[in-house]
Amino acid sequence: MNNFIHVINGFYKPEIYYTDTDSLYISSKNWKKLNRAGLVSEKDYCKGKNDYGDGGIIFGLYLAPKVKYNIVLTSDGVLKEKKTFKGYSNDKISVEDYVHLASGHDVSNEFNKPWEKSFTNGVVIPNDKQTKVFRSYLNNVKRKPPNSEGIMYPYNDKDEYSFDENYEFDDFDYLTIQEENEDCFK
């Protein structure tokens, strides 16, 4: 990712809207720079590809790693939604759920329990449901509050976090399963 960020001068200017380990959301004006630098290909490994076509993102809501909502304007002038919500299927998540999270409210939904493997019973497909709760404060956990320009920088080390000593932090902190944590609804 450093090669891509360097070409668009993203280390020194806020040119990147969202990034994680394998993706970068940038303005379409930077796409030509990446192409000229030989960093773009639809089939080669370690190259960038454009998942959103010739149009561009006209609205983006980036709530947490792997949790993002975009409205894309295609080159044909058509508006399309592009949703990503790790741990939540796209047919179960709505725009209102993103807005609730952005407003500081938790979001929950019912899912089928996952299949289980057992040495004696083989694969067991449960007929039960479980409730997943997505907590709204993940950005507060992973990033400092927005500065005067609205940029949320990451914390430098875990000692900077402002949580009590009982707080447990992991990469999937925004997801809890109701059975494991009944306190989510109190």
Side-chain angles (χ1 to χ4, degrees):
M1 296 308 297
N2 284 343
N3 293 339
F4 295 87
I5 295 169
H6 178 69
V7 167
I8 65 170
N9 202 20
F11 292 115
Y12 302 102
K13 295 191 304 189
E15 294 286 330
I16 302 165
Y17 305 121
Y18 170 86
T19 186
D20 57 34
T21 55
D22 62 354
S23 60
L24 198 64
Y25 285 67
I26 59 174
S27 172
S28 58
K29 70 180 179 180
N30 290 310
W31 190 248
K32 289 180 184 175
K33 295 175 192 175
L34 296 175
N35 211 353
R36 281 193 303 267
L39 294 172
V40 176
S41 173
E42 288 296 318
K43 57 186 178 212
D44 294 337
Y45 290 113
C46 301
K47 301 278 181 158
K49 66 179 184 141
N50 186 349
D51 290 338
Y52 293 143
D54 292 337
I57 297 169
I58 62 166
F59 174 79
L61 190 57
Y62 308 103
L63 299 173
K66 307 285 188 197
V67 179
K68 53 193 178 292
Y69 175 81
N70 291 298
I71 297 176
V72 178
L73 181 64
T74 68
S75 56
D76 299 332
V78 177
L79 293 174
K80 290 188 176 181
E81 277 184 326
K82 297 283 188 170
K83 304 185 282 187
T84 305
F85 203 122
K86 178 124 180 160
Y88 221 140
S89 59
N90 278 344
D91 62 330
K92 293 253 186 196
I93 186 82
S94 68
V95 178
E96 289 80 17
D97 291 333
Y98 287 97
V99 171
H100 277 118
L101 279 175
S103 301
H105 303 286
D106 295 349
V107 172
S108 64
N109 209 332
E110 271 194 352
F111 293 87
N112 293 329
K113 280 192 171 181
W115 294 10
E116 299 169 0
K117 283 196 232 180
S118 162
F119 184 72
T120 55
N121 299 328
V123 174
V124 177
I125 304 172
N127 202 16
D128 297 342
K129 299 272 187 190
Q130 67 182 11
T131 300
K132 289 185 182 180
V133 178
F134 295 87
R135 292 181 268 172
S136 61
Y137 55 78
L138 183 65
N139 257 337
N140 297 332
V141 174
K142 296 210 173 193
R143 295 175 185 85
K144 295 177 184 177
N147 65 12
S148 61
E149 297 173 3
I151 300 171
M152 296 178 78
Y153 290 104
Y155 288 105
N156 295 327
D157 60 54
K158 66 179 176 69
D159 294 332
E160 289 187 75
Y161 299 130
S162 59
F163 296 99
D164 62 38
E165 68 269 358
N166 297 327
Y167 185 82
E168 292 182 30
F169 176 75
D170 62 27
D171 285 342
F172 296 101
D173 195 55
Y174 57 91
L175 166 65
T176 58
I177 309 249
Q178 182 181 5
E179 297 166 347
E180 297 169 6
N181 190 358
E182 290 291 335
D183 294 335
C184 290
F185 289 101
K186 292 183 180 174

